[in-house]
Amino acid sequence: MGRMRSIWGEDCMEFKPERWISSSGGIKHVPSYKFPTFNAGPRACLGKNMAFSELKIVATTIIYHYHIQLVEGHLVLPADSMILHMKYGLKVKLNRRSEFN
């Protein structure tokens, strides 16, 4: 389901973080039934909230301290697996920010 064209559109195989941002700049709400990683309803993962909190802390720290650029020519493809991860990883260049706001 995580890569189905009928659910996510023709660009379902592309890495596009902007698909989660609304036209007003906020975060788009997508029902958990569309993205089955943590399941939904009564079978929802007990660690989901903790995992999202950790994700936000780590992402915020990295974005605050570094400029992030994707490596040109690197293929971003999903792996054939029950666990959602990238086939070749996500190669980026990190440049430490010289000044903090």
Side-chain angles (χ1 to χ4, degrees):
M1 285 178 60
R3 302 285 186 235
M4 290 177 70
R5 282 186 175 82
S6 61
I7 295 174
W8 299 105
E10 291 300 315
D11 61 354
C12 66
M13 299 300 281
E14 295 178 33
F15 176 71
K16 294 178 74 174
E18 63 271 13
R19 79 173 74 234
W20 309 109
I21 302 171
S22 69
S23 57
S24 63
I27 297 173
K28 276 188 192 175
H29 170 72
V30 178
S32 58
Y33 291 97
K34 278 182 87 174
F35 192 69
T37 302
F38 290 109
N39 291 320
R43 293 193 180 3
C45 176
L46 296 175
K48 176 181 175 180
N49 290 335
M50 183 63 173
F52 277 122
S53 295
E54 289 175 355
L55 170 81
K56 291 173 188 177
I57 292 167
V58 170
T60 302
T61 303
I62 291 171
I63 291 168
Y64 183 79
H65 289 286
Y66 297 94
H67 288 284
I68 304 166
Q69 283 184 294
L70 286 170
V71 172
E72 285 188 42
H74 176 66
L75 290 176
V76 179
L77 298 170
D80 297 329
S81 172
M82 289 295 288
I83 299 170
L84 296 177
H85 64 276
M86 294 180 203
K87 191 172 190 174
Y88 305 111
L90 181 64
K91 292 187 179 182
V92 296
K93 290 183 181 181
L94 296 176
N95 294 312
R96 188 157 182 82
R97 293 179 187 266
S98 57
E99 296 178 24
F100 299 112
N101 298 334

